[in-house]
């Protein structure tokens, strides 16, 4: 009887692990897609992407820092409104006019829309 219960626990742990892995992969792909759409529509750049870092979360970005990052962009850009204190961030390398550039994009976790970005 103990072996049957232990077997069920192992199966549950395995299933939970697979579900979490699939969810993380889906979030990564959604973040990439959101960043590409943002660069194309808001920044009007035809970029070729080299690399995307893994999606990670941060609570270090305050409302005032978001405003600073947005004002540095210096353009009339439509951003997603943040829905909480935690944001996701992804660092991206891309080619633009034969130059290799890098930028960090901050995304709202609920919608994966770009809240702010900074060119590195």
């Amino acid at each position: 009887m103990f072996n049957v219960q232990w077997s069920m626990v192992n199966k549950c742990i395995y299933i939970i692990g697979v579900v979490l892995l699939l969810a993380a992969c889906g979030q990564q792909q959604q973040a990439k897609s959101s960043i590409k759409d943002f660069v194309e529509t808001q920044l009007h750049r035809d970029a070729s992407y080299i690399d995307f870092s893994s999606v990670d979360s941060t609570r270090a970005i305050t409302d005032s820092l978001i405003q600073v990052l947005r004002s540095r962009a210096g353009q009339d850009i439509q951003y997603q409104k943040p829905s909480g204190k935690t944001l996701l961030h992804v660092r991206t390398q891309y080619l633009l006019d034969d130059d290799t550039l890098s930028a960090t994009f901050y995304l709202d976790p609920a919608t994966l829309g770009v809240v702010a970005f900074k060119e590195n």
Side-chain angles (χ1 to χ4, degrees), residues 44-103:
H44 308 290
R45 294 182 179 167
D46 186 22
S48 298
Y49 296 91
I50 299 170
D51 187 42
F52 289 88
S53 70
S54 296
V55 174
D56 201 0
S57 62
T58 182
R59 294 184 68 124
I61 306 299
T62 62
D63 291 340
S64 59
L65 184 54
I66 289 172
Q67 294 305 318
V68 168
L69 293 174
R70 288 178 175 183
S71 68
R72 284 186 184 169
Q75 300 173 5
D76 187 27
I77 299 173
Q78 300 291 322
Y79 292 99
Q80 177 69 41
K81 184 176 179 179
S83 62
K85 298 278 183 196
T86 302
L87 296 176
L88 301 177
H89 63 91
V90 177
R91 187 172 178 160
T92 305
Q93 286 185 321
Y94 56 96
L95 287 174
L96 184 64
D97 300 329
D98 297 327
D99 290 329
T100 302
L101 304 173
S102 177

Side-chain angles (χ1 to χ4, degrees), residues 10-35:
N10 283 339
K11 286 180 184 178
C12 288
I13 290 171
Y14 178 76
I15 290 170
I16 290 170
V18 169
V19 169
L20 290 174
L21 179 64
L22 292 174
C25 291
Q27 186 180 50
Q28 180 76 26
Q29 290 303 317
Q30 283 183 317
K32 284 181 184 181
S33 178
S34 294
I35 291 168

Side-chain angles (χ1 to χ4, degrees), residues 69 72 102-106 116-120:
L69 293 174
R72 284 186 184 169
S102 177
T104 302
F105 292 87
Y106 298 95
F117 76 99
K118 68 175 181 175
E119 293 179 333
N120 301 327

